[in-house]
Every structure is written in C-alpha cells, then in structure tokens.
Amino acid sequence: MRVAFFGTPLWAVPVLDALRKRHEVVLVVSQPDKPQGRGLRPAPSPVARYAEAEGLPLLRPARLREEAFLEALRQAAPEVAVVAAYGKLIPKEALDIPPHGFLNLHPSLLPKYRGAAPVQRALLAGERETGVSIMRLDEGLDTGPLYAVWRTPILPDEDAVALGNRLRDKGVELLLEVLERLPELTPRPQEGEASYAPPLSKEEGRLDFGESAEALYRRHRAVQPWPGSYFFHRGRRVKALRLRPEPGEGEPGVVARVGPEGVAVGTASGLLLLLEVQPEGRRAMPAADWARGYGVAPGTRLGQV
C-alpha cells in the first residue's frame, strides 16, 4: 500500500523501518527540529534523521492545518496513514485525506491509558497487564475504533523502556497484519472505562520515601529514561540509577544499612536498596562508594532538599 507515516522519537523508527520494507512509504511527517544538547542547536527528530538517511520524502510542519501541508499530503496520495508516537493530534482535514484513514499503534489496552505516556502510567499504577492496540484515528484523543489488540503481563522488573519496546515490536506485527487485510476489515468500538495518561513531569521522578518500597520501585521503572528517579542529600540531587526493594523495616528516608552491595533506606513498607547512583555533577558510581565518599551512614536522613 501507499503509506504516509507520522512519528517523532526513536521509539517510532522501527515502525517506519518495518513499513518501508513491506509497503511504499510516500511521505514521512515528523515534528519540527528542536533545540538539543548543551548548545541548544535545532536538531531533527530520530524519525526525521531516518527518513533523510533513507531518502524518504519528509515534512516537518509546525501546524497540520496549514493548507501547504494538507496539499502536500494530498499530492503524496497515501492510501492509508500510520501514526506512532507523533506527539500531536491529527486534525479532521488531514484524517479525511487517505481513503483508508489513519491507523495508530498505541501501547495500551484502549480505552485504558489514552494519551502521551501509556506505558509509564501503567507502571506507576501498578498494573499487572497491559497491551498494544491498533486503532483507527478519529478527532478525539485515542478514542477511535480498534482493529486489533494484544494483551500481555507486565514482567516484574520491566521498566518503561523495555516494556515500551516489547509492546512496539508486537504492535508492528499486528500493524502489518492489519494492513494486509485492511480493505476487508471493520474496526470495533472501544469498550470499557477510559483512563488518561498525561506526559510525565520532572517532579514525578522524585523518590518519596514515605511511599512503600514496592511503589518506589514501580516509580523508578516508570520514569526511565526520563526524567529518571532521584532523591536529595544535603540539598543536592542524586540520581538513582539502579535500585530494588527488599524485606525489612526502617524509618522512612533514613539509611538503615550500608554494605558492599549498596545503601538500604527505610520506606513506609520495606527497604529500598540503592545499588548505583549519580551525585549531581559527578559520574555514576556504586551506591556503596557514594556512601563512603559523602558521609552516608546508618541513621543518615535522605530526601531533604
């Protein structure tokens, strides 16, 4: 089929790559270049870089309602469009152009976790099951009917990166299957109670030792790779790169034990064992080394700004 692809982050690149190998990608649409790095120089998105490297037609419109963009989409004459983490709602003017509409690869069991951060929100909520949906877009926020759904348990130590990639890879399989039979398929309406998954904020990475160790571990897994989990010691931010919950008791936020394996901190329920950390402005290091170098001993209180 003639396919237009809408996507932006690195997560979406394998979707575009798979489409290009099976179908004719007549247009790639990604978000405009954004400032990146220390110099804050505008840089193309990973999807835009892939499209340029592969010689695919590429547009980076600031607004999808602009007539110049809509005319370019008409001229590309896609039979269907595919969206994977594009980052903007598609207006009706664009939705109506491909004869078979827009398909969206969405990593959740719709109508659960509509929106920008479904994988992260499912982990934060402690869901035991999630999935991926292939949906036909309408004008709402992930409200369109479904062509295919795949369900899977969330693995105990899976973080947002690993889970998101696993859901995407299965979603690519489903997407290709749907495209093969698209003219004969009829999507079914979403059923069940809807929930929403807004983008993460930087503050959501902060570890509040007043929560349980299990809840803190869920948070740590959910906020990878951004904003990452962190706490404060002596007013300075410390990134928690690796950690795990373990049995035991301790006062929330107070170091209960320092050993070769790491630093055990009390929580509302259980202990949180810090394995690897990165103090502000320093390199990553084993938590035991950080404790020795920064005077962290049993009885030290963490978490205060």
Side-chain angles (χ1 to χ4, degrees), residues 240-264:
L241 302 180
R242 291 190 301 117
L243 53 78
R244 70 165 185 256
E246 64 174 34
E249 295 183 1
E251 184 182 348
V254 175
V255 173
R257 184 181 75 250
V258 176
E261 195 175 16
V263 177

Side-chain angles (χ1 to χ4, degrees), residues 56-102:
L56 298 173
L58 172 66
L59 290 176
R60 288 167 278 196
R63 282 186 256 182
L64 298 183
R65 283 191 168 89
E66 291 177 351
E67 184 54 37
F69 165 72
L70 294 172
E71 182 57 28
L73 184 58
R74 293 187 197 101
Q75 290 296 322
E79 295 171 86
V80 66
V82 170
V83 178
Y86 175 59
K88 291 183 179 180
L89 286 176
I90 311 297
K92 186 177 188 303
E93 296 92 325
L95 292 174
D96 290 343
I97 291 174
H100 293 292
F102 277 66

Side-chain angles (χ1 to χ4, degrees), residues 6 59 62 103 158 167 173 181 189 198 212 271 292 296:
F6 288 62
L59 290 176
L103 305 187
E158 224 168 7
L167 295 176
E173 293 179 22
R181 303 172 51 225
S212 71
L271 296 174
R292 283 194 297 271
V296 176

